[in-house]
PDB file of all heavy atoms in Angstrom:
ATOM      1  N   PRO A  56       1.275  11.114   1.345  1.00  0.00           N
ATOM      2  CA  PRO A  56       2.051  12.101   2.109  1.00  0.00           C
ATOM      3  C   PRO A  56       1.250  12.629   3.289  1.00  0.00           C
ATOM      4  O   PRO A  56       0.019  12.481   3.349  1.00  0.00           O
ATOM      5  CB  PRO A  56       2.314  13.203   1.073  1.00  0.00           C
ATOM      6  CG  PRO A  56       1.199  13.077   0.093  1.00  0.00           C
ATOM      7  CD  PRO A  56       0.873  11.610   0.020  1.00  0.00           C
ATOM      8  N   GLY A  57       1.953  13.243   4.226  1.00  0.00           N
ATOM      9  CA  GLY A  57       1.332  13.681   5.466  1.00  0.00           C
ATOM     10  C   GLY A  57       0.136  14.587   5.288  1.00  0.00           C
ATOM     11  O   GLY A  57      -0.855  14.461   6.019  1.00  0.00           O
ATOM     12  N   GLN A  58       0.180  15.504   4.314  1.00  0.00           N
ATOM     13  CA  GLN A  58      -0.911  16.469   4.183  1.00  0.00           C
ATOM     14  C   GLN A  58      -2.215  15.839   3.724  1.00  0.00           C
ATOM     15  O   GLN A  58      -3.279  16.414   3.876  1.00  0.00           O
ATOM     16  CB  GLN A  58      -0.522  17.603   3.239  1.00  0.00           C
ATOM     17  CG  GLN A  58      -0.273  17.210   1.789  1.00  0.00           C
ATOM     18  CD  GLN A  58       1.193  16.938   1.520  1.00  0.00           C
ATOM     19  OE1 GLN A  58       1.864  16.309   2.340  1.00  0.00           O
ATOM     20  NE2 GLN A  58       1.697  17.424   0.377  1.00  0.00           N
ATOM     21  N   TRP A  59      -2.132  14.626   3.142  1.00  0.00           N
ATOM     22  CA  TRP A  59      -3.352  13.943   2.686  1.00  0.00           C
ATOM     23  C   TRP A  59      -3.578  12.630   3.436  1.00  0.00           C
ATOM     24  O   TRP A  59      -4.373  11.808   3.013  1.00  0.00           O
ATOM     25  CB  TRP A  59      -3.276  13.668   1.178  1.00  0.00           C
ATOM     26  CG  TRP A  59      -3.024  14.887   0.357  1.00  0.00           C
ATOM     27  CD1 TRP A  59      -2.009  15.084  -0.532  1.00  0.00           C
ATOM     28  CD2 TRP A  59      -3.794  16.092   0.340  1.00  0.00           C
ATOM     29  NE1 TRP A  59      -2.086  16.337  -1.081  1.00  0.00           N
ATOM     30  CE2 TRP A  59      -3.166  16.976  -0.561  1.00  0.00           C
ATOM     31  CE3 TRP A  59      -4.941  16.525   1.019  1.00  0.00           C
ATOM     32  CZ2 TRP A  59      -3.652  18.254  -0.814  1.00  0.00           C
ATOM     33  CZ3 TRP A  59      -5.423  17.802   0.765  1.00  0.00           C
ATOM     34  CH2 TRP A  59      -4.789  18.633  -0.133  1.00  0.00           C
ATOM     35  N   PHE A  60      -2.898  12.449   4.560  1.00  0.00           N
ATOM     36  CA  PHE A  60      -3.007  11.214   5.333  1.00  0.00           C
ATOM     37  C   PHE A  60      -4.235  11.319   6.233  1.00  0.00           C
ATOM     38  O   PHE A  60      -4.142  11.651   7.413  1.00  0.00           O
ATOM     39  CB  PHE A  60      -1.732  11.001   6.149  1.00  0.00           C
ATOM     40  CG  PHE A  60      -1.544   9.589   6.644  1.00  0.00           C
ATOM     41  CD1 PHE A  60      -1.242   8.565   5.766  1.00  0.00           C
ATOM     42  CD2 PHE A  60      -1.661   9.294   7.992  1.00  0.00           C
ATOM     43  CE1 PHE A  60      -1.054   7.263   6.226  1.00  0.00           C
ATOM     44  CE2 PHE A  60      -1.476   8.000   8.464  1.00  0.00           C
ATOM     45  CZ  PHE A  60      -1.182   6.987   7.571  1.00  0.00           C
ATOM     46  N   SER A  61      -5.401  11.033   5.666  1.00  0.00           N
ATOM     47  CA  SER A  61      -6.657  11.203   6.371  1.00  0.00           C
ATOM     48  C   SER A  61      -7.550   9.986   6.172  1.00  0.00           C
ATOM     49  O   SER A  61      -7.324   9.169   5.272  1.00  0.00           O
ATOM     50  CB  SER A  61      -7.385  12.449   5.852  1.00  0.00           C
ATOM     51  OG  SER A  61      -7.763  12.256   4.494  1.00  0.00           O
ATOM     52  N   THR A  62      -8.594   9.892   6.993  1.00  0.00           N
ATOM     53  CA  THR A  62      -9.566   8.814   6.825  1.00  0.00           C
ATOM     54  C   THR A  62     -10.200   8.866   5.447  1.00  0.00           C
ATOM     55  O   THR A  62     -10.439   7.838   4.808  1.00  0.00           O
ATOM     56  CB  THR A  62     -10.659   8.925   7.906  1.00  0.00           C
ATOM     57  OG1 THR A  62     -10.056   8.843   9.190  1.00  0.00           O
ATOM     58  CG2 THR A  62     -11.684   7.817   7.761  1.00  0.00           C
ATOM     59  N   THR A  63     -10.480  10.064   4.962  1.00  0.00           N
ATOM     60  CA  THR A  63     -11.109  10.210   3.653  1.00  0.00           C
ATOM     61  C   THR A  63     -10.252   9.601   2.561  1.00  0.00           C
ATOM     62  O   THR A  63     -10.735   8.842   1.721  1.00  0.00           O
ATOM     63  CB  THR A  63     -11.365  11.700   3.346  1.00  0.00           C
ATOM     64  OG1 THR A  63     -12.204  12.253   4.355  1.00  0.00           O
ATOM     65  CG2 THR A  63     -12.043  11.860   1.993  1.00  0.00           C
ATOM     66  N   ASN A  64      -8.964   9.922   2.552  1.00  0.00           N
ATOM     67  CA  ASN A  64      -8.087   9.431   1.497  1.00  0.00           C
ATOM     68  C   ASN A  64      -7.753   7.956   1.637  1.00  0.00           C
ATOM     69  O   ASN A  64      -7.648   7.246   0.641  1.00  0.00           O
ATOM     70  CB  ASN A  64      -6.789  10.243   1.469  1.00  0.00           C
ATOM     71  CG  ASN A  64      -6.916  11.498   0.626  1.00  0.00           C
ATOM     72  OD1 ASN A  64      -7.466  11.476  -0.470  1.00  0.00           O
ATOM     73  ND2 ASN A  64      -6.426  12.599   1.149  1.00  0.00           N
ATOM     74  N   THR A  65      -7.586   7.478   2.856  1.00  0.00           N
ATOM     75  CA  THR A  65      -7.165   6.091   3.045  1.00  0.00           C
ATOM     76  C   THR A  65      -8.352   5.143   3.114  1.00  0.00           C
ATOM     77  O   THR A  65      -8.595   4.356   2.200  1.00  0.00           O
ATOM     78  CB  THR A  65      -6.295   5.958   4.303  1.00  0.00           C
ATOM     79  OG1 THR A  65      -7.009   6.441   5.445  1.00  0.00           O
ATOM     80  CG2 THR A  65      -5.001   6.748   4.153  1.00  0.00           C
ATOM     81  N   ALA A  66      -9.121   5.211   4.187  1.00  0.00           N
ATOM     82  CA  ALA A  66     -10.175   4.225   4.422  1.00  0.00           C
ATOM     83  C   ALA A  66     -11.346   4.353   3.456  1.00  0.00           C
ATOM     84  O   ALA A  66     -11.946   3.348   3.064  1.00  0.00           O
ATOM     85  CB  ALA A  66     -10.677   4.348   5.859  1.00  0.00           C
ATOM     86  N   LEU A  67     -11.688   5.575   3.060  1.00  0.00           N
ATOM     87  CA  LEU A  67     -12.889   5.767   2.244  1.00  0.00           C
ATOM     88  C   LEU A  67     -12.618   5.860   0.754  1.00  0.00           C
ATOM     89  O   LEU A  67     -13.523   5.610  -0.050  1.00  0.00           O
ATOM     90  CB  LEU A  67     -13.627   7.028   2.699  1.00  0.00           C
ATOM     91  CG  LEU A  67     -14.094   7.033   4.158  1.00  0.00           C
ATOM     92  CD1 LEU A  67     -14.852   8.308   4.469  1.00  0.00           C
ATOM     93  CD2 LEU A  67     -14.956   5.820   4.456  1.00  0.00           C
ATOM     94  N   PHE A  68     -11.410   6.222   0.360  1.00  0.00           N
ATOM     95  CA  PHE A  68     -11.108   6.405  -1.053  1.00  0.00           C
ATOM     96  C   PHE A  68     -10.212   5.302  -1.604  1.00  0.00           C
ATOM     97  O   PHE A  68     -10.552   4.617  -2.565  1.00  0.00           O
ATOM     98  CB  PHE A  68     -10.460   7.772  -1.247  1.00  0.00           C
ATOM     99  CG  PHE A  68     -10.180   8.145  -2.681  1.00  0.00           C
ATOM    100  CD1 PHE A  68     -11.027   7.758  -3.711  1.00  0.00           C
ATOM    101  CD2 PHE A  68      -9.065   8.907  -2.999  1.00  0.00           C
ATOM    102  CE1 PHE A  68     -10.768   8.104  -5.032  1.00  0.00           C
ATOM    103  CE2 PHE A  68      -8.798   9.267  -4.307  1.00  0.00           C
ATOM    104  CZ  PHE A  68      -9.654   8.870  -5.326  1.00  0.00           C
ATOM    105  N   GLN A  69      -9.066   5.079  -0.969  1.00  0.00           N
ATOM    106  CA  GLN A  69      -8.072   4.157  -1.514  1.00  0.00           C
ATOM    107  C   GLN A  69      -8.371   2.687  -1.216  1.00  0.00           C
ATOM    108  O   GLN A  69      -8.300   1.835  -2.103  1.00  0.00           O
ATOM    109  CB  GLN A  69      -6.685   4.507  -0.976  1.00  0.00           C
ATOM    110  CG  GLN A  69      -6.167   5.841  -1.432  1.00  0.00           C
ATOM    111  CD  GLN A  69      -4.895   6.212  -0.703  1.00  0.00           C
ATOM    112  OE1 GLN A  69      -4.477   5.555   0.238  1.00  0.00           O
ATOM    113  NE2 GLN A  69      -4.275   7.294  -1.137  1.00  0.00           N
ATOM    114  N   GLN A  70      -8.661   2.364   0.034  1.00  0.00           N
ATOM    115  CA  GLN A  70      -8.761   0.960   0.432  1.00  0.00           C
ATOM    116  C   GLN A  70      -9.841   0.160  -0.299  1.00  0.00           C
ATOM    117  O   GLN A  70      -9.660  -1.036  -0.520  1.00  0.00           O
ATOM    118  CB  GLN A  70      -8.941   0.854   1.945  1.00  0.00           C
ATOM    119  CG  GLN A  70      -7.690   1.247   2.709  1.00  0.00           C
ATOM    120  CD  GLN A  70      -7.855   1.152   4.208  1.00  0.00           C
ATOM    121  OE1 GLN A  70      -8.832   0.595   4.712  1.00  0.00           O
ATOM    122  NE2 GLN A  70      -6.907   1.704   4.944  1.00  0.00           N
ATOM    123  N   PRO A  71     -10.966   0.770  -0.721  1.00  0.00           N
ATOM    124  CA  PRO A  71     -11.914  -0.013  -1.528  1.00  0.00           C
ATOM    125  C   PRO A  71     -11.361  -0.397  -2.900  1.00  0.00           C
ATOM    126  O   PRO A  71     -11.878  -1.308  -3.541  1.00  0.00           O
ATOM    127  CB  PRO A  71     -13.116   0.937  -1.673  1.00  0.00           C
ATOM    128  CG  PRO A  71     -13.030   1.835  -0.485  1.00  0.00           C
ATOM    129  CD  PRO A  71     -11.553   2.059  -0.295  1.00  0.00           C
ATOM    130  N   MET A  72     -10.289   0.282  -3.352  1.00  0.00           N
ATOM    131  CA  MET A  72      -9.676  -0.026  -4.649  1.00  0.00           C
ATOM    132  C   MET A  72      -8.369  -0.787  -4.491  1.00  0.00           C
ATOM    133  O   MET A  72      -8.085  -1.709  -5.263  1.00  0.00           O
ATOM    134  CB  MET A  72      -9.420   1.275  -5.419  1.00  0.00           C
ATOM    135  CG  MET A  72     -10.670   2.062  -5.736  1.00  0.00           C
ATOM    136  SD  MET A  72     -10.330   3.576  -6.673  1.00  0.00           S
ATOM    137  CE  MET A  72      -9.532   4.609  -5.422  1.00  0.00           C
ATOM    138  N   TYR A  73      -7.573  -0.407  -3.500  1.00  0.00           N
ATOM    139  CA  TYR A  73      -6.244  -0.991  -3.303  1.00  0.00           C
ATOM    140  C   TYR A  73      -6.169  -1.521  -1.875  1.00  0.00           C
ATOM    141  O   TYR A  73      -6.030  -0.768  -0.917  1.00  0.00           O
ATOM    142  CB  TYR A  73      -5.171   0.057  -3.573  1.00  0.00           C
ATOM    143  CG  TYR A  73      -5.416   0.837  -4.836  1.00  0.00           C
ATOM    144  CD1 TYR A  73      -5.669   2.204  -4.803  1.00  0.00           C
ATOM    145  CD2 TYR A  73      -5.436   0.190  -6.076  1.00  0.00           C
ATOM    146  CE1 TYR A  73      -5.924   2.915  -5.969  1.00  0.00           C
ATOM    147  CE2 TYR A  73      -5.702   0.890  -7.246  1.00  0.00           C
ATOM    148  CZ  TYR A  73      -5.945   2.249  -7.179  1.00  0.00           C
ATOM    149  OH  TYR A  73      -6.211   2.943  -8.343  1.00  0.00           O
TER     150      TYR A  73
END
Side-chain angles (χ1 to χ4, degrees):
Q58 64 266 42
W59 305 124
F60 198 70
S61 66
T62 301
T63 301
N64 274 316
T65 57
L67 300 182
F68 184 35
Q69 294 171 352
Q70 290 180 12
M72 298 181 289
Y73 314 116

